[in-house]
Amino acid sequence: MPVRMQDVALRAGVSVKTVSNVVNGYPHIRDSTRRRVEEAIDELGYRMNVSARDLRTRRTGMITLNVPELSLPYFAELADSVIRAADERGWSVLIEQTGAERERELEVLAGNRRHRGDGVLFSPLALGPDDLGHFDVGFPLVVLGERVFGARADHVTMNNVEGARAATAHLIASGRRRIAVVGAHAGEVIGSAALRLAGYERALADAGIPFDPALVGEAGLWHRSTGAETMARLLDSGTAIDAVFALNDAMALGALHALHERRIDIPGDIALIGFDDVDDVRYSVPTISSVDPGRDEIARTAVGLLVERITGSTEPFRRVVPPMRIVGRRSTGDTQGDGETVVAALPGWLEDIP
């Protein structure tokens, strides 16, 4: 016999209405009550009748995730995390790629595809502070990433500066002084590249190490190929290097390829660390140390905020920064074999957007 909502309510010691509020993602439910209901759902194996819910509320039961491109491992894994987080709440996810093209990103904010879902998770790459007015939309929206701050929407981002600072500091603590950067963007003042480069520079300043522009390797799109090309240019320049900070893991994998081609020992001659902690870095040789930005928590938080807006929350807009970790592996000499260790942890925070 199928488990009913009434059965969950009886097990949790709450009303049927409270169970309904929990499974539909309504805000303003005590954490202790939500936990009791969720535990009862897990114990009984309750599955919500999504079709009935959507008919009753006149919703599609679907949210849209707009990302630049799924060929980048970070966005592919973020999409996977979002799908799992949404499924836990009884929602489906439609994924669309913008190609990091300005016009296509503006189309997202214009609501041209709104009929396909009840709300939007949006990670822009081509828009910036001058486009804030476009984010004043008439539908539930949660912004992801680092390109736009101050939008009238909930925002889930990561602490790029401190993550990069901690990654660089970890290399310095191991005795490295000639630390190259792979993936800088010339002239960029906003976005991940600028923020991560700023964190790198702060770590050098903290240690009293002069900044050397010859150690900064510029790249275009953050792919494996550009990581390999940038690493090769740095090596060909003759600049002394004893460590590399790649601004994302795709470029770290490309840099690793270039280092292997030169038969450079890692980490003996050059240590290597990336950013994003995608799954691939656990299977490279050697395994690559990386900054874990809390991708699963980013997905869970973003989906939760969006569902709250869809279901009527009028709370102030919030900015959420999940905790981060620096995960040490063989490329920085932190582990043997295929193991890993957390060498630093950075706290997250939540704040209202004024």
Side-chain angles (χ1 to χ4, degrees):
M1 181 176 178
V3 177
R4 303 170 303 165
M5 194 174 288
Q6 291 89 335
D7 300 321
V8 175
L10 184 63
R11 175 66 64 91
V14 299
S15 68
V16 173
K17 178 63 174 176
T18 298
V19 176
S20 176
N21 287 343
V22 170
V23 298
N24 282 291
Y26 282 91
H28 315 310
I29 298 173
R30 289 182 181 176
D31 289 342
S32 58
T33 302
R34 188 185 299 277
R35 281 196 297 272
R36 289 209 313 276
V37 172
E38 290 174 345
E39 288 171 0
I41 288 171
D42 290 341
E43 291 170 5
L44 296 174
Y46 172 72
R47 296 290 294 177
M48 179 171 54
N49 187 332
V50 175
S51 297
R53 178 201 66 185
D54 296 340
L55 285 171
R56 184 175 65 253
T57 60
R58 295 185 180 180
R59 300 189 189 113
T60 67
M62 182 177 293
I63 61 177
T64 302
L65 172 65
N66 292 90
V67 294
E69 56 177 313
L70 291 173
S71 62
L72 289 173
Y74 174 78
F75 288 115
E77 294 187 18
L78 176 66
D80 179 73
S81 296
V82 166
I83 290 169
R84 285 187 282 108
D87 184 64
E88 290 173 2
R89 292 172 173 267
W91 293 76
S92 299
V93 181
L94 172 67
I95 301 172
E96 295 189 342
Q97 297 184 107
T98 63
E101 296 175 10
R102 176 177 173 79
E103 291 306 314
R104 293 177 68 179
E105 291 187 351
L106 289 174
E107 282 186 8
V108 172
L109 297 175
N112 294 345
R113 303 176 185 271
R114 273 281 292 119
H115 64 281
R116 296 186 180 180
D118 301 309
V120 175
L121 300 176
F122 180 35
S123 180
L125 274 187
L127 303 181
D130 293 341
D131 299 301
L132 276 178
H134 294 286
F135 286 80
D136 189 8
V137 298
F139 54 85
L141 172 71
V142 174
V143 179
L144 305 173
E146 301 77 48
R147 292 289 302 180
V148 177
F149 286 87
R152 303 299 299 162
D154 294 309
H155 187 179
V156 185
T157 183
M158 60 181 73
N159 195 344
N160 281 279
V161 173
E162 290 305 315
R165 186 179 189 175
T168 307
H170 180 56
L171 294 172
I172 293 171
S174 69
R176 314 290 172 154
R177 291 295 182 272
R178 300 289 298 170
I179 303 169
V181 171
V182 170
H185 289 165
E188 182 176 283
V189 295
I190 60 170
S192 300
L195 294 170
R196 293 175 192 180
L197 184 61
Y200 161 83
E201 292 182 19
R202 289 187 190 181
L204 296 181
D206 292 341
I209 300 174
F211 172 75
D212 183 354
L215 288 168
V216 178
E218 295 177 3
L221 296 175
W222 283 0
H223 293 163
R224 294 174 181 84
S225 59
T226 55
E229 291 162 4
T230 302
M231 188 74 253
R233 286 199 307 272
L234 285 165
L235 294 171
D236 289 340
S237 72
T239 301
I241 298 171
D242 61 13
V244 174
F245 173 34
L247 299 187
N248 82 341
D249 283 342
M251 290 187 297
L253 289 162
L256 179 67
H257 175 77
L259 292 167
H260 279 323
E261 284 195 325
R262 308 296 179 95
R263 300 186 182 279
I264 293 172
D265 181 65
I266 308 157
D269 297 324
I270 294 179
L272 172 66
I273 194 167
F275 200 115
D276 287 339
D277 202 38
V278 302
D279 198 45
D280 286 350
V281 300
R282 296 173 177 82
Y283 298 97
S284 60
V285 179
T287 55
I288 299 176
S289 301
S290 188
V291 180
D292 173 7
R295 183 175 49 256
D296 285 341
E297 185 63 24
I298 288 172
R300 282 192 297 269
T301 301
V303 169
L305 289 171
L306 187 59
V307 170
E308 285 186 15
R309 296 299 173 189
I310 292 170
T311 53
S313 174
T314 57
E315 291 291 303
F317 292 122
R318 286 156 287 180
R319 180 177 297 116
V320 183
V321 180
M324 306 176 78
R325 309 181 306 158
I326 310 301
V327 182
R329 298 189 178 91
R330 293 186 67 186
S331 69
T332 49
D334 289 297
T335 62
Q336 300 296 319
D338 295 328
E340 61 183 41
T341 183
V342 177
V343 297
L346 306 175
W349 69 85
L350 178 152
E351 61 185 1
D352 290 343
I353 298 175

